[in-house]
Amino acid sequence: RISLKNVCADFGEGVKRIFKVAVMYGFAFAFFYLMVAYPWPTAVIDWFIRTNSYNLIFILFGLIAAILAIAVCADPLYSGYYFGQYLAAIYTINLGITAIIWRLGSGIGLLIAPTSFLLLTALTYADIPYKQWMKYIWKFALTFFIVAVIVLGIVIM
């Protein structure tokens, strides 16, 4: 019993509401395409975390690299697949710690990355501006980052 006029009006309202998210996600997928077509991100990740041993600097830069990888990659699961093979091949000495570092960094990245589809969609539908979200979440993300570095540092030592 819904008229075609109401359906079209509601559809238009939904498109207007999600348009910013769709544009941002479109740019993220364009960047994602460039990442897959030209495999330069592994060189960037390698520059961040290439060390001869597992130490506090490896943990720090490993978390930063994971956050950046999630931020520039529109699909977090593919990001793990894309970089996971590389990290498994390079850092086979202690693959468990590398995987934990990657997962923790990915979690922080998904909380703050403007390319996180679920985050942006939830913020859009809750009418929360991204800037307001960052004001709220940055303290938690920074605390989580520092605690992760300390705990992993203790585990490695």
Side-chain angles (χ1 to χ4, degrees):
R1 294 188 181 257
I2 300 173
S3 70
L4 183 60
K5 182 179 179 180
N6 287 345
V7 170
C8 291
D10 290 345
F11 179 77
E13 189 63 37
V15 168
K16 281 194 284 187
R17 192 169 195 173
I18 202 74
F19 182 73
K20 288 188 287 187
V21 173
V23 168
M24 182 61 129
Y25 211 55
F27 281 123
F29 263 107
F31 197 83
F32 177 65
Y33 171 76
L34 292 174
M35 187 174 90
V36 172
Y38 307 100
W40 56 268
T42 52
V44 173
I45 296 297
D46 191 47
W47 181 79
F48 266 102
I49 61 175
R50 176 62 97 172
T51 62
N52 293 332
S53 65
Y54 286 83
N55 54 32
L56 200 56
I57 300 300
F58 176 84
I59 294 169
L60 181 68
F61 285 126
L63 285 170
I64 291 170
I67 292 168
L68 290 174
I70 290 297
V72 301
C73 182
D75 185 357
L77 294 177
Y78 187 81
S79 170
Y81 170 74
Y82 183 78
F83 293 108
Q85 292 176 348
Y86 174 74
L87 292 173
I90 299 298
Y91 301 104
T92 56
I93 299 168
N94 197 342
L95 199 53
I97 292 294
T98 305
I100 290 171
I101 290 170
W102 188 262
R103 182 58 66 194
L104 288 173
S106 298
I108 295 169
L110 287 173
L111 281 176
I112 62 173
T115 55
S116 172
F117 181 72
L118 293 175
L119 172 65
L120 290 180
T121 302
L123 292 178
T124 298
Y125 278 102
D127 287 328
I128 301 171
Y130 180 73
K131 194 175 196 178
Q132 184 181 348
W133 171 254
M134 284 304 293
K135 285 181 185 178
Y136 169 77
I137 202 67
W138 77 268
K139 292 175 189 172
F140 173 76
L142 181 62
T143 304
F144 188 74
F145 181 84
I146 292 169
V147 169
V149 169
I150 292 170
V151 169
L152 289 172
I154 292 170
V155 168
I156 287 177
M157 300 304 166

